[in-house]
Structure formats: C-alpha cells, structure tokens
Amino acid sequence: MDREVFESKRGRTAFRIFFGAAVAGLVAFAAHALVAPASSALFDIWIYHAVGAIALALCVLRAVRVETERNVWITMSIAIGAWLIGSIISSLSGVAFERDPSASVGDFFYLVFFPVGAIGLGFLLKSRVRPFQPSILLDGLIVALAVAALGSVMIQELIVRGADVPDLTLRLSLPLSDLMLITCVVWVLAMIGWRASHVWDLMVGGMGLAGIVSAIYLAQLAAHTYLPGTVLQALWPAAMMLIAAAAWQRPEPPIKPKVEGYSKLVVASVASSVALGILVLDHFATLDSLTLLLAAATLGALIVRATVAFKENLEMVADFRHEAQTDALTGLGNRRKLLRDLGRELVNASVASPRILVIFDLDGFKRYNDTYGHPAGDSLLQRLGGNLARAIGPYGGGYRLGGDEFCVLVTTGGSNAKTIISLTAAALSERGDGFSVTASYGAVMLPHEARDPALALRIADQRMYSQKEDRRSSATRQTRDILMQVLQEREPDLEQHMQDVAKLARGAGSRLALLAEELDEVVRAAELHDVGKMAIPDEILHKPAALDDGEWEFIRQHTIIGERILKAAPSLLPVAKIVRASHERWDGAGYPDRLAGERIPLGARIVAVCDAFDAMTTSRPYRDAMDTEPALAELRSNAGTQFDPDVVEAVCEEVRASGYRLTSGRFDRSRFVA
C-alpha cells in the first residue's frame, strides 16, 4: 500500500505541481531580490511563506498518507512548522534582531527547528541503517555536544568577549544550534558512507543548508550587515523544500553503517577529551555557564554511551552463546549443545530417574530434496524441526546434528519412553503427493547402557542404522529380489555379472565418500542396470557376430526400458535415474540422453566404469576375457572421454585393494565381499 502511494500517477503529479509552484515562488523571490531589493509584502511575506507552507504541507501529507517512517516526517513537519511560525512572527512584528537583541517569540521558534530537525535525522538513521544500534545516535550526540562546547569557547574568544552583549545565552544558542546541526549532518554522512542516495542527499542537503544559511545570517547580524529581502533569505525556504522533496522519494533498501569498530572509539575518545579539556580550562579562565553545560552534557552522554555499550556487549555475548549452540535452520540445539546437555544429564541420571537418548535419521529426505530442490528441502527440515520441538518440549530437548539427522534427550518421563519416542518419530514424518519422509531411530537408556557421552551416541547411532537397514530391505530389497529372480530366470549368465558389478560399485562408492543412502542406491543400480535387457530379443542379445545398426537401436533402448520397470516401484525411483544414465559417456557421446560431464549422475558414472571393467574381464561368445592389468590400462586410457577420471581412479584402487587376482582376470570371491 505504501509503495502504491509513491508510485501512483495521481500522487506523483500532485507532488510535481506543488513542488513546481514552490520552485517558481523561490525563483520569483530571488529575482525580485536581485532586480528590486526594496522590501515588498508580496514577496517578503506572502510568496516567501507560501513556499514554506508548501514544504510543510508536503511533509504532513507524507506522514498522513504513508505509514512507514511516519515518525520521521511527523518530526520534520514539527521542525518546518516551527521555522515557519518563527518566520511569520518575525515578519509581522517587524523587529530586527540587531535592533532588539533580547529574546523574542519568533527567535524561540527558530531555535526549535534545530533540535527537532536533529531528532528527525536520528529517526531516519534508525529506519534506514541496518543493523541499527542506539549507540549510533549517542555517538552523534556526543560529537555534536563536544563540537558545540568547543565552538562556544571559540565564539566567546573571537566575537563576544569584551563586548557589551545582552542576553549572551540567547546570542550563543543560535550559532551553537547551527554548529550542532551541521555536526549532526556530517555525522549522518559518515554513517552512510558518504554514498549517493536520493533520500539522504535531499534530507542531509536540506538540513545542512539550513544550518549554513543560519550561520551566515547570524554572522551578518553580529557584524550589523544583515539586510532583509536578499537572495540569502531565499535559501531558508529552499532548505525546507529539499526536506519536503526527501519525504516523497521512493523507498530505498537499508544501508550498513560505515563508522564502526575503532572509528567509533576514536571519535568518542576525542569528543570526551575536548569536553574534559574545557572543564579543566574553566579552572584557569572563567567560562560562561552555557559552555560548561555543553561540556558536562558531553561527558554525561559519554557515560550513557558506556552504559549502552555494556548492555549491547552483554546482548552480543548472549547472542553468540545462543548461536554457538543453536542450529540456524531449525532453531533446535546443535551437536555442541547436545554434548553439553548430555554430559550434565549423565551426572544427574540414575536407575530410578533414567535419561533416554534417541538419534533419528530421515528416510526419503534425499529423494525429496532431489525432486523438489534444496529450498524445499530446507523448508521441510524447518517444519520437522518445529514439530520435534513441540513434541519433545514437555519431556526434554530436541537437537539437529546436521543434514537430516536429529536427536532428542528425554530428561523427564523416562518410564513412558516408548510413547515419547513414538511421538517424536511421528513429528519427524511427513507425507504428500509423490513423497514420504519418515524417521529411523536408535535409542539408548542412561545410565543403564552408557555412562559416557561418546559411548551413548555411538550405541544410539548403531541402533539407528540397524533399523534403517532393516526398513530399507523390507521394501526395496523385496522388489530388488523379485527383479533379480526374474533376470536369473530370463538370463542366468547376467546374475553373476550384476553381482560382480555391484560389489565393485560398493567399494568404489565408499572410496568416493558417498553417504550411506547414496551408496545403497548405487549398489541397487549396479545390480539392476541390465534389467531392461529382459525386453531385448534373444537373437540380438546372444548374437555371436557384430550387431547391425538396427540391432544396436534395440540395445540402446534397454536403459530406458530398465528405467520404466524400476519406476513402477516408488522406492526405486533414484535407482531408476541411475540405470537410465548408466551408458552415458563423459564426453557426451553416450546414450540415451547424451549427457556429459557432471550432468551425468555420479552413481551412473560409477556403474559405467564397473560394468566396463567386468565386461572386459569376463569371457564372451565373441572374445576371451582380458587380464586385470590390461583392463585397468584400458579404463585409464578412456578416462576423460568415455569415463569420469575420478571414478576410474577409485575403481582401479578398489580392484587392487580387493583381492582381485591380477594374472587370471577373475575375482577372489572369498575376499571381495559386499
């Protein structure tokens, strides 16, 4: 809604009309001042204040129509309104400051502009600078007070001392307010890194121009050279219009503060040294009360700044402690917190008051992540983490150990361990169209089964993986056994080949650091990579001579057929993808999809190398088996063209380490085990 106000055609048109009218008024005022500098009610009162009224109306309208940063523009409306009232009162009263230096109502409203405008700048800083800390504004206040105190000393020495000046406090308040305002503007520019930005340029430019014009005005008053109705006077409403223009700029992204670390320390230290020096100077040369008040206020602000800094440091330490023990994605405790809590609870655990440690690993999460993408996978982990926190809340703590591994430590209600474990396992499960994510787990009772954190984790982990393997075999293995039996009935010779390829693929996958679930999928794919050959006619599959082009087309279909067969079982979907790509080549010349390089699934690259090696070292109707060393040399010669070089090296290492008889070309099956 707020953005629509800025971008609506009607709103932009209205802003341009009002702003254009104000600019025209300023140009007319300046032209009159240059051409006919004599006083004129039309220009000096009506046009001059009409421009200020337009600036005020634009700021008020911005505060009313747009909710965001409303406090900024309400404050700036008050500041502009105070200046406008002071200007009108001074114009109507006809009292010139140099003729009557005593305090007037108009002067009071002029003074209001400076602190209120500085507050508006502070609100804008708070809104637009991220991360924002209260110390940012306090640092600016300390610097502004210190500069004002120093300026007070200099003004007295250069201008006021020795002169008969009534109302010294008022005479000092106006230039010192200018000085503080300009200091605030410089501080804001430093905080935003002196970068160009429409809002900051206009806002800081307007406030800075107001301070500079006011300083020149006061200098002219002090020298008795001020004349009303000059171009200088037009710069005041011009400053107000710059602020109004800033109010109607489109929203911009927040910026990071540029004055940080030692820079802030140096600035605060210099400011406090100035204030302390002024207070010491008062011991030797009596200074006026306003100067001493500014110096004391600087030190007081520094004390407040130290208090705020101490509070921020405490919060920062607490945040660091929380982050160090919290998983960023789910908000659960991490492994570090688990070890800390586990060590504490083992000390308090007893036979009468046991603790239960349960480790969970998600089943089906990798498939979900591969299907829907990592952002969806992260969202799922967040939901499951929230579910786990709510489920375990009354009984203990929940943790995420990393990846898709979770853990709970039951500290109360150990007698209902089965119920609690069932609740937490259900919290880590989610089903939907085309996916099912469940949790395998392993539990250990403390102190009955372990009195050491490392031992407790190891026992729970072993039990979890044992259950995971049992679950996996209950569905996937049954489907795999059926297909393997069908293949054996159809092609008895293929059984041994698939077993050999699967064993070699398991060893190579382990060397390539595959996760347990990934390794299992590669082994299943290696066992079933030829399942599509059940659909190839015998006269082609067993032809003793070379195949013609048409027969090769039949052969090249077997990976696609294998994928279709395996996709009929949801638990074998990842295996089906590997089987389809098992005859792709690293250089992109394979089939059926002509994938190349790392676009080929890693499991398919492993199966391809293992299949080629076993084919070369096995006798066929049209050739004899190749010995191991020539077969390995052939793999290496095709690395980078047909095969993935890293996979080739892993397979070669596995062959040499697995008990393969290098002279006979056959496996020593007593040593090469799955």
Side-chain angles (χ1 to χ4, degrees):
M1 179 61 184
D2 290 350
R3 183 175 290 274
E4 293 175 1
V5 174
F6 284 103
E7 297 182 353
S8 68
K9 186 176 181 180
R10 180 183 299 176
R12 302 303 299 174
T13 301
F15 171 75
R16 291 189 183 100
I17 291 173
F18 280 106
F19 194 81
V23 171
L26 284 173
V27 171
F29 183 91
H32 175 267
L34 290 172
V35 176
S39 178
S40 168
L42 174 63
F43 289 96
D44 294 351
I45 296 179
W46 294 106
I47 293 180
Y48 183 83
H49 294 119
V51 174
I54 290 174
L56 175 61
L58 288 174
C59 278
V60 171
L61 187 62
R62 165 65 170 81
V64 171
R65 292 291 305 279
V66 184
E67 183 176 354
T68 56
E69 297 180 345
R70 182 169 286 167
N71 57 345
V72 176
W73 303 111
I74 289 176
T75 306
M76 297 314 300
S77 297
I78 295 172
I80 295 175
W83 167 82
L84 184 60
I85 293 172
S87 180
I88 292 173
I89 292 174
S90 297
S91 298
L92 294 178
S93 65
V95 177
F97 190 85
E98 71 275 15
R99 292 197 301 268
D100 183 4
S102 61
S104 69
V105 177
D107 298 326
F108 169 78
F109 282 102
Y110 277 135
L111 279 173
V112 168
F113 172 82
F114 298 101
V116 176
I119 292 172
L121 273 177
F123 282 144
L124 190 63
L125 264 179
K126 183 178 180 181
S127 173
R128 297 292 180 99
V129 174
R130 292 288 184 272
F132 177 81
Q133 296 175 327
S135 58
I136 293 176
L137 296 181
L138 278 171
D139 288 335
L141 178 62
I142 291 169
V143 174
L145 288 170
V147 169
L150 184 61
S152 178
V153 174
M154 297 175 65
I155 291 171
Q156 290 183 73
E157 289 296 325
L158 297 177
I159 299 175
V160 179
R161 185 169 294 279
D164 183 16
V165 181
D167 256 334
L168 179 61
T169 300
L170 175 64
R171 295 298 295 267
L172 283 175
S173 297
L174 290 171
L176 292 181
S177 297
D178 289 339
L179 196 58
M180 291 180 68
L181 179 61
I182 294 172
T183 302
C184 289
V185 168
V186 173
W187 179 257
V188 169
L189 288 173
M191 291 305 302
I192 64 176
W194 313 93
R195 68 171 62 181
S197 166
H198 294 310
V199 172
W200 288 113
D201 286 349
L202 292 168
M203 182 73 164
V204 172
M207 297 294 292
L209 181 61
I212 293 171
V213 174
S214 180
I216 296 173
Y217 166 73
L218 291 169
Q220 289 180 346
L221 286 180
H224 300 283
T225 60
Y226 171 75
L227 293 174
T230 63
V231 175
L232 175 67
Q233 191 175 351
L235 296 181
W236 262 108
M240 304 303 120
M241 287 306 302
L242 288 176
I243 296 171
W248 285 95
Q249 298 303 304
R250 289 183 176 87
E252 297 173 345
I255 58 177
K256 183 179 180 181
K258 300 299 180 182
V259 180
E260 296 182 311
Y262 285 107
S263 299
K264 295 173 71 174
L265 178 62
V266 169
V267 170
S269 299
V270 171
S272 59
S273 299
V274 168
L276 185 61
I278 290 173
L279 294 177
V280 172
L281 178 63
D282 181 62
H283 180 72
F284 301 98
T286 304
L287 301 177
D288 72 286
S289 57
L290 180 60
T291 303
L292 296 177
L293 179 62
L294 288 171
T298 303
L299 295 178
L302 188 67
I303 294 173
V304 176
R305 170 69 174 85
T307 303
V308 171
F310 183 73
K311 180 175 179 293
E312 288 178 349
N313 288 338
L314 289 179
E315 292 174 351
M316 192 180 303
V317 170
D319 289 341
F320 285 155
R321 185 180 292 116
H322 176 75
E323 291 174 3
Q325 300 184 72
T326 304
D327 175 61
L329 182 62
T330 63
L332 297 171
N334 58 15
R335 183 179 290 273
R336 178 180 298 175
K337 188 172 191 310
L338 170 64
L339 292 174
R340 176 185 171 188
D341 293 350
L342 185 57
R344 183 185 66 247
E345 293 301 328
L346 275 170
V347 173
N348 298 326
S350 64
V351 175
S353 178
R355 300 329 188 232
I356 310 295
L357 176 69
V358 190
I359 293 181
F360 298 89
D361 189 84
L362 302 184
D363 300 321
F365 175 74
K366 179 182 179 299
R367 187 179 310 148
Y368 180 92
N369 215 28
D370 293 343
T371 302
Y372 299 102
H374 292 290
D378 288 345
S379 296
L380 176 63
L381 290 175
Q382 287 177 323
R383 292 197 301 274
L384 296 180
N387 295 341
L388 181 63
R390 287 187 290 272
I392 193 60
Y395 309 105
Y399 312 84
R400 181 182 176 223
L401 304 184
D404 59 354
E405 279 196 335
F406 293 83
C407 180
V408 297
L409 180 59
V410 181
T411 57
T412 60
S415 58
N416 298 317
K418 290 185 178 180
T419 302
I420 297 173
I421 293 173
S422 297
L423 286 173
T424 50
L428 290 173
S429 301
E430 186 170 310
R431 290 176 174 81
D433 293 337
F435 76 92
S436 174
V437 175
T438 57
S440 297
Y441 63 86
V444 58
M445 182 172 286
L446 311 172
H448 305 65
E449 298 178 289
R451 294 182 176 273
D452 175 74
L455 178 60
L457 286 169
R458 187 162 62 249
I459 293 174
D461 199 56
Q462 290 172 349
R463 291 175 178 174
M464 181 269 294
Y465 275 108
S466 176
Q467 186 190 78
K468 194 176 187 72
E469 185 61 31
D470 291 342
R471 284 189 171 188
R472 186 183 294 125
S473 63
S474 64
T476 305
R477 186 174 291 277
Q478 289 178 20
T479 305
R480 169 257 187 197
D481 291 345
I482 292 172
L483 291 174
M484 291 287 287
Q485 187 62 37
V486 172
L487 268 176
Q488 183 178 2
E489 296 296 332
R490 173 73 166 77
E491 291 292 333
D493 293 338
L494 282 179
E495 180 186 14
Q496 190 61 56
H497 166 67
M498 290 188 294
Q499 289 180 0
D500 292 345
V501 174
K503 292 173 182 176
L504 187 55
R506 180 185 292 277
S510 298
R511 292 179 181 276
L512 291 168
L514 294 186
L515 299 176
E517 190 172 352
E518 294 172 328
L519 186 61
D520 183 72
E521 290 170 358
V522 171
V523 173
R524 299 294 167 254
E527 291 176 332
L528 299 170
H529 73 280
D530 279 335
V531 68
K533 289 183 178 179
M534 289 190 295
I536 305 299
D538 287 345
E539 57 268 23
I540 296 177
L541 198 60
H542 299 292
K543 185 177 180 179
L547 302 179
D548 59 30
D549 292 341
E551 291 166 338
W552 269 115
E553 284 301 317
F554 269 106
I555 292 293
R556 291 191 180 98
Q557 291 295 312
H558 84 274
T559 58
I560 299 176
I561 296 170
E563 181 194 32
R564 287 204 300 265
I565 293 172
L566 295 173
K567 284 173 68 174
S571 61
L572 291 176
L573 283 175
V575 177
K577 294 179 181 179
I578 296 174
V579 168
R580 180 185 178 95
S582 60
H583 283 267
E584 300 286 357
R585 289 172 54 105
W586 185 253
D587 58 9
Y591 63 88
D593 301 311
R594 291 190 170 275
L595 301 178
E598 294 186 356
R599 292 183 60 197
I600 306 169
L602 177 57
R605 287 178 259 154
I606 295 172
V607 171
V609 177
C610 296
D611 182 35
F613 176 79
D614 191 77
M616 287 187 290
T617 56
T618 303
S619 297
R620 297 293 172 89
Y622 48 87
R623 62 164 173 77
D624 293 331
M626 186 184 295
D627 283 342
T628 300
E629 284 297 345
L632 296 179
E634 183 70 15
L635 290 180
R636 288 196 172 97
S637 68
N638 285 279
T641 54
Q642 184 176 356
F643 305 120
D644 179 347
D646 292 336
V647 174
V648 168
E649 287 305 312
V651 170
C652 291
E653 292 173 4
E654 180 63 21
V655 167
R656 292 182 176 279
S658 61
Y660 199 81
R661 295 177 183 171
L662 300 180
T663 56
S664 68
R666 298 306 305 158
F667 282 110
D668 180 355
R669 302 190 188 282
S670 65
R671 295 179 61 191
F672 194 78
V673 294

